Amino acid sequence: MAKIKNLAELRKMREDQQKQLNLREKSNDPEKYVQIKVGMATSGIASGAKRIMDFLIVELDKRSIDAVVTQTGDMGYCYAEPTIEVTRPGEEPVVFGYVDTKRADEIIEKYIKNGELVEGIIPVNYESID
Amino acid sequence: MAQQLKMQLLVCGGTGCRASESEALEMELARELKAHGLENEAKVIKTGCFGFCEKGPIVKVHPDNTFYTQVMPADAREIVEEHVLKGRKVERLLYTDPENKEHIPDSRHMGFYRKQIRIALRNCGFINPENIDEYLARDGYDAMGKCLTEMTPDAVIDIMKKSGLRGRGGGGFPTGLKWEITRKSVSDQKYVVCNADEGDPGAFMDRSILEGDPHAVLEAMAICGYAIGASKGLIYIRAEYPLAIKRLKIAIDQAMEYGLLGKRIFDTDFDFEIELRYGAGAFVCGEETALIASMEGGRGEPTFKPPFPAVDGYLGKPTCVNNVETFANIPIIINKGADWFSSIGTERSKGTKVFALAGKINNVGLIEVPMGTTLREVIFEIGGGIKDGKEFKAVQTGGPSGGCLTQKHLDTPIEYDTLIAAGSMMGSGGMIVMDEDDCMVSMAKFYLEFTVEESCGKCSPCRIGNKRLHEMLQTVTEGTATMDTLESMKNLCNVIKDTSLCGLGQTAPNPVLSTLNNFWDEYVEHVVDHKCRAGACKSLMRYVIIPDNCVGCTACARNCPVNCISGERKQVHEIDQSTCIKCGTCMEKCKFNAIEIV
């Protein structure tokens, strides 16, 4: 390991390391970030939810969007799997169904970035109690 | 691909949780992740103390902030299969709210954490203490860099003074002022000493900081070195803190490797090296002059002040001694500024204080609250109240040097000065809660016993005075004292306070004085009525048989270990008080409630 010679080098290193801690930092105030829950029950996994989750994590990171991606149990829309629930900071959650990588891409670009609704929205017909 | 981890499982690696198998749990979790092919998606990370030691071992799962309590190695599989794989939280391991019995999945909603502000503990339970990179990610060594390259030593001292930070070891001396005095002492060599000789019974604040965030202390010591003009730092730590020592050593090696300690740090002329010095666990060595004597290889005995260590300390050179928690506050003060720090807390006590909650309280653990928080908030909101729904009686703050505070002090804000005014002190942060079953005379005796044992014996008031005081307390608990004894005790306490050489002796009578003041009735009861209402003083208790209830079954007599119960079958029995050892076996064995304590 080369020695750190100055503050600029230290800060450069810090940036690299911060990615590792991002997951933990964000989980302390998830409301500040875009929160995405991926339905990962048996039906979700069977229709490729795992791939979608990986895709979201990688793509959000690439596009420098601060988001908290977690997995959740069955959301009840087995017919529309994979389903994801997206909550923009300070807004009500929106559930999207039939999410493939193409639609996931669209959700990131349109809904997450600009709040534009895209196809595949499932009306939320329940309330979650935290 | 490490940055695309989906989940991180934080396992507490503090001494408390390790004692309940958190190491095995950590290995089990890693093994299960691997067995399920998830090692690239989720990672197990060992951290420092989360503070909620009562319910350890703790596992925290990010990013959903799930807080699992009392997790056993056998639970690893379920956590991995249910939570990591399927995203379903393991309900039975979640923290249960003691009031409404509901599971609380997210630690942000727990009463224990709600009122806390974690500054000194900011990284404990968040980063892996054995990995400098995680410390760097949390702005680590940035404060040191700023000081070295952008600030003059005087500017650093100025920030410390403006922040209002006072020593967290107990005395509360302003840190900036201490630095300034040491800076002004002229010498070819100066020293920075970190006092990690945490000796109060039941206190583990410093240990947890060193175990959970060792780099913060190292960084702060280097900042101090720069400010006062010292190139050497020494950490005086007790040898019975093996885990803290291990992590400090790892941290020092990593910092040296990165060039954050050593020669010409950040390409400046500033050199700073840190070494460890081990103490043998003597309480008096927490006193700075005794600590220095011990580091020099002499007996751990205090010397008269002045000269203060800031002028004539380690090896006769100017030495700045600060406590672990004090140091832990420093990097963040430099980063966030004096105004930020002084906006937290009260007029005369700035910032936060870490306390180790122990005794008859529901949430035993480590907490950090802003100065000015009341004892009621700490004990009843964060601490979750008294165990088994019993009545609160007193809380001892400041360990054996402090005093006990009662019901009437519950709304006292916690500050250096208000605690002293109430007859106790801040001390290093031990807080032992007592309930109705605790006898205050015995409690005072317990603490005094500790100081008598730990007295170094150098000055007579402490060596002889405390011993005599202890003997007088003994007579009170045995029922042979008179009211005159109580008066002499009061006098003796004041003499010891006024004439002892160091802080140990000067504060040793505090538990006695404060119980005499706050629980005078209880003392009088012991002396006049020969009664201990808590039932703790065995000499004052008598087990007697209630003739009306006794059926003569002989169960008590057969089980008495000293054969002091006599009586024929089907006749009322009798206990011979002169041979009874008050073990209580008879009462336990009697099925007819025929034995009572009077």
Side-chain angles (χ1 to χ4, degrees), chain A residues 1 3-5 10-11 13-14 17-18 20 23-25 27-28 31 53-54 57 70-71, chain B residues 6-8 45 62-63 65 84 108 126 133-134 136-139 142 256-258 266-267:
Chain A
M1 179 65 217
K3 295 200 189 284
I4 300 171
K5 284 267 186 276
L10 178 82
R11 287 175 181 163
M13 260 188 91
R14 173 165 82 217
Q17 299 304 334
Q18 264 166 349
Q20 308 277 343
L23 200 67
R24 277 175 253 170
E25 298 272 7
S27 104
N28 283 328
E31 292 83 7
M53 185 162 176
D54 292 338
I57 292 174
T70 55
Q71 45 190 347
Chain B
K6 248 189 254 174
M7 262 188 191
Q8 297 185 343
I45 293 153
H62 289 285
N65 220 12
V84 182
R108 292 174 305 147
F126 193 84
D133 292 337
E134 296 207 347
L136 293 186
R138 296 274 281 174
D139 299 337
D142 195 273
M256 292 289 285
E257 202 184 311
Y258 275 17
F266 282 148
D267 257 349

Side-chain angles (χ1 to χ4, degrees), chain B residues 431-566:
Chain B
M431 224 184 236
I432 299 179
V433 178
M434 282 155 280
D435 69 7
E436 52 193 303
D437 293 342
D438 289 307
C439 164
M440 299 316 283
V441 183
S442 307
M443 199 277 301
K445 203 177 86 182
F446 163 80
Y447 281 114
L448 198 65
E449 220 163 73
F450 178 84
T451 27
V452 166
E453 283 232 329
E454 292 291 344
S455 168
C456 75
K458 186 169 181 175
C459 70
S460 340
C462 176
R463 181 183 71 245
I464 303 171
N466 281 320
K467 181 81 187 150
R468 294 290 94 84
L469 187 60
H470 184 259
E471 286 165 2
M472 290 178 184
L473 272 173
Q474 185 76 28
T475 61
V476 176
T477 58
E478 283 170 354
T480 52
T482 61
M483 289 304 283
D484 288 343
T485 317
L486 297 186
E487 285 309 316
S488 335
M489 272 167 59
K490 271 191 188 169
N491 279 334
L492 185 52
C493 282
N494 289 323
V495 171
I496 297 171
K497 270 178 91 97
D498 291 345
T499 55
S500 289
L501 174 63
C502 81
L504 189 145
Q506 287 157 11
T507 57
N510 280 352
V512 183
L513 267 180
S514 74
T515 45
L516 276 169
N517 284 335
N518 291 317
F519 295 95
W520 176 250
D521 293 352
E522 232 175 289
Y523 274 89
V524 173
E525 250 173 45
H526 279 76
V527 173
V528 178
D529 311 329
H530 301 290
K531 205 171 169 264
C532 171
R533 63 173 92 166
C537 299
K538 287 203 165 168
S539 312
L540 301 181
M541 287 163 35
R542 284 190 309 136
Y543 284 90
V544 291
I545 291 175
I546 308 166
D548 287 349
N549 291 3
C550 181
V551 297
C553 73
T554 74
C556 56
R558 277 184 282 117
N559 283 295
C560 175
V562 291
N563 289 322
C564 74
I565 306 178
S566 56

Side-chain angles (χ1 to χ4, degrees), chain A residues 24, chain B residues 11-15 18 23 26 44-49 123-136 208-216 218 242-255 257-258:
Chain A
R24 277 175 253 170
Chain B
V11 181
C12 176
T15 294
R18 274 165 69 115
E23 262 183 306
E26 192 192 317
V44 183
I45 293 153
K46 169 172 58 192
T47 68
C49 184
N123 290 327
C124 287
F126 193 84
I127 62 167
N128 178 350
E130 295 179 10
N131 183 353
I132 188 172
D133 292 337
E134 296 207 347
Y135 181 67
L136 293 186
S208 299
I209 292 173
L210 292 170
E211 285 175 5
D213 194 14
H215 284 288
L218 303 184
L243 186 62
I245 291 173
K246 183 183 144 208
R247 294 199 175 143
L248 273 173
K249 281 185 176 166
I250 294 174
I252 293 173
D253 286 347
Q254 288 175 341
E257 202 184 311
Y258 275 17

Side-chain angles (χ1 to χ4, degrees), chain B residues 15 45-46 102 122 127 176 194 255-256 263 310 339 573:
Chain B
T15 294
I45 293 153
K46 169 172 58 192
E102 271 176 25
R122 63 192 178 279
I127 62 167
C194 171
M256 292 289 285
K263 301 258 179 256
D339 292 340
H573 282 50

